[in-house]
């Protein structure tokens, strides 16, 4: 049986390093399921693997798109499944890593057969978004499906629009609609999660934001800010990303620099909290400690009768 080893955990916990260490150990390749690392213009703010890290193991779905490209979770599922099939022709084991929970779920379990977008619903929601802001969409979704609200990227208006539309069409929460997988996979999946005390997770996030700024996040965000001010860029979902939206407010003079940085850290911690909420409900994650994840992963795999 071909095996996909999926590395999960909160932002900043060390998924990239563990994925590379395992890929080198098994002489194999890595699929990324981080939906923001798909975009080539945003490597610093999305903590994409560095050139040095990419040279250590071959990665797929890193920097393959422009922020101007539309790319849905359905497209990712199809593309990643095809890539996985091709990789399994030459490898028995493939590594996957990334913090986008729904993207991992899509590749492992398949997407549910949800109804197509309803034009009237979408038009109504689009008017709400443009007249009352994304906060109103967040409020609607939180009332209709508090569980999904805790997990979704609440800054991604397209996700909010889609979820509310599905709820209105089906009369079921979005969580109920996506709870049952629909596609059987011809490979085995082993999920390994990296865990740490919450205070350590938050400390690592704060330090990582500082490192991003040292690496040039401000200049990278300025390029995205200039794009967002154009007709092409004003509605790009890809630019509604933590680390950029806060600095956009700084560039607009709404916030001062120190407050914008503190908001990046706060919103990154909030995202980590949503990830923790999601993973806590999953029953098939094998947890390893953040201080020694590689050795613990190999021991875990041996206990699972996996050839290491």
């Amino acid at each position: 049986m071909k095996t996909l080893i999926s590395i999960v955990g909160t932002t900043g916990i060390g998924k990239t390093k563990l994925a590379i260490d395992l890929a080198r150990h098994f002489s194999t390749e890595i699929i990324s399921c981080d939906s923001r690392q798909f975009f080539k213009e945003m490597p610093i703010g999305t903590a994409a693997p560095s050139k040095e890290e990419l040279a250590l193991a071959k990665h797929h779905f890193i920097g393959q798109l422009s922020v101007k490209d539309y790319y849905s979770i359905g497209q990712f599922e199809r593309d990643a499944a095809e890539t996985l099939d091709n990789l399994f022709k030459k490898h028995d084991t493939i590594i996957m890593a990334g913090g986008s929970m729904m993207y991992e779920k899509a590749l492992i379990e398949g997407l549910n057969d949800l109804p197509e977008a309803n034009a009237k619903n979408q038009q109504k929601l689009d008017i709400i978004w443009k007249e009352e802001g994304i906060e109103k969409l967040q409020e609607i979704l939180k009332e209709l499906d508090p569980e999904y609200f805790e997990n979704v990227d609440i800054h991604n208006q397209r996700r909010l629009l889609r979820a509310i539309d599905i709820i209105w069409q089906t009369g079921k929460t979005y969580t109920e609609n996506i709870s049952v997988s629909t596609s059987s996979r011809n490979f085995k999946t082993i999920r390994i999660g990296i865990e740490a005390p919450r205070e350590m997770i938050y400390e690592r996030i704060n330090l990582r934001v500082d490192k991003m700024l040292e690496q040039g996040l401000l200049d990278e965000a300025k390029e995205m800010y200039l794009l967002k001010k154009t007709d092409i860029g004003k509605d790009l979902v890809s630019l509604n990303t933590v680390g950029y939206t806060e600095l956009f407010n700084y560039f607009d003079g709404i916030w001062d620099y120190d407050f914008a940085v503190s908001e990046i850290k706060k919103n990154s911690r909030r995202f980590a909290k949503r990830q923790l909420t999601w993973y806590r409900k999953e029953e098939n994650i094998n947890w390893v400690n953040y201080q020694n994840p590689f050795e613990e992963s190999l021991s875990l795999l041996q206990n699972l009768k996996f050839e290491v």
Side-chain angles (χ1 to χ4, degrees):
M1 174 71 75
K2 302 291 186 177
T3 303
L4 176 68
I5 299 176
S6 181
I7 310 301
V8 303
T10 62
T11 183
I13 198 65
K15 296 184 294 294
T16 295
K17 185 178 188 307
L18 178 57
I20 291 173
D21 288 343
L22 288 173
R24 288 170 63 82
H25 179 83
F26 290 109
S27 300
T28 189
E29 302 178 25
I30 300 170
I31 286 180
S32 172
C33 63
D34 189 311
S35 64
R36 286 304 189 251
Q37 292 181 0
F38 298 162
F39 303 113
K40 60 187 176 184
E41 297 94 339
M42 306 164 69
I44 298 174
T46 61
S50 65
K51 291 181 180 179
E52 293 76 16
E53 289 172 323
L54 292 172
L56 292 172
K58 187 170 182 179
H59 288 67
H60 302 266
F61 300 96
I62 296 286
Q64 85 277 17
L65 299 173
S66 167
V67 291
K68 300 175 186 177
D69 295 329
Y70 172 74
Y71 196 65
S72 70
I73 190 171
Q75 289 171 297
F76 171 75
E77 183 206 11
R78 291 189 296 272
D79 294 346
E82 181 180 354
T83 299
L84 201 54
D85 285 344
N86 289 331
L87 291 176
F88 276 141
K89 292 176 183 176
K90 51 183 178 177
H91 303 287
D92 290 331
T93 304
I94 305 297
I95 312 299
M96 180 165 70
S100 297
M101 296 87 77
M102 289 296 297
Y103 283 71
E104 187 218 14
K105 178 183 175 71
L107 184 55
I108 290 175
E109 300 181 3
L111 289 174
N112 300 76
D113 188 18
L114 299 174
E116 295 293 325
N118 179 282
K120 288 184 179 180
N121 286 348
Q122 292 292 319
Q123 184 179 25
K124 180 179 178 181
L125 290 166
D126 195 53
I127 291 172
I128 292 173
W129 170 49
K130 290 178 178 176
E131 293 185 353
E132 302 183 61
I134 196 168
E135 295 79 11
K136 184 61 177 178
L137 296 178
Q138 293 167 355
E139 180 184 323
I140 293 171
L141 180 60
K142 187 174 184 179
E143 182 177 343
L144 293 173
D145 189 349
E147 183 174 353
Y148 185 62
F149 178 81
E150 289 299 318
N151 297 314
V152 70
D153 177 1
I154 60 172
H155 301 291
N156 186 329
Q157 75 267 21
R158 188 176 288 127
R159 293 271 179 84
L160 302 176
L161 293 168
R162 177 63 171 156
I164 297 168
D165 177 21
I166 295 299
I167 295 169
W168 284 352
Q169 287 192 61
T170 64
K172 299 179 181 178
T173 66
Y174 194 74
T175 301
E176 289 173 316
N177 274 290
I178 64 173
S179 62
V180 181
S181 61
T182 59
S183 300
S184 60
R185 298 303 196 197
N186 59 353
F187 56 85
K188 176 183 178 182
T189 299
I190 298 175
R191 302 173 79 196
I192 297 178
I194 308 175
E195 63 180 350
R198 184 169 297 200
E199 60 271 17
M200 180 57 64
I201 294 171
Y202 289 173
E203 180 181 337
R204 289 171 72 107
I205 287 171
N206 292 339
L207 291 172
R208 188 165 80 161
V209 172
D210 291 335
K211 184 178 180 181
M212 287 176 175
L213 290 164
E214 292 172 7
Q215 293 173 331
L217 175 60
L218 198 64
D219 290 336
E220 186 175 276
K222 190 59 176 287
E223 291 295 317
M224 298 301 97
Y225 173 76
L226 295 174
L227 174 60
K228 191 168 181 62
K229 291 299 181 181
T230 67
D231 288 339
I232 295 175
K234 63 182 180 180
D235 292 329
L236 289 176
V237 172
S238 55
L239 301 185
N240 296 333
T241 297
V242 173
Y244 299 89
T245 54
E246 297 85 356
L247 290 175
F248 294 168
N249 282 335
Y250 164 62
F251 297 141
D252 279 330
I254 300 171
W255 294 344
D256 65 28
Y257 176 76
D258 289 340
F259 184 73
V261 171
S262 70
E263 287 295 293
I264 295 173
K265 293 178 179 179
K266 183 180 76 175
N267 289 329
S268 296
R269 294 192 300 267
R270 283 179 173 173
F271 178 56
K273 185 178 179 180
R274 291 201 300 274
Q275 291 174 310
L276 286 170
T277 299
W278 174 280
Y279 294 131
R280 196 178 296 120
K281 295 174 182 176
E282 301 287 288
E283 297 179 350
N284 62 345
I285 299 177
N286 303 280
W287 293 100
V288 298
N289 191 276
Y290 78 104
Q291 293 178 310
N292 195 30
F294 177 61
E295 288 76 10
E296 286 193 23
S297 294
L298 292 184
S299 176
L300 169 72
L301 290 167
Q302 281 186 324
N303 290 337
L304 294 173
K305 309 301 182 184
F306 190 82
E307 185 62 49
V308 298

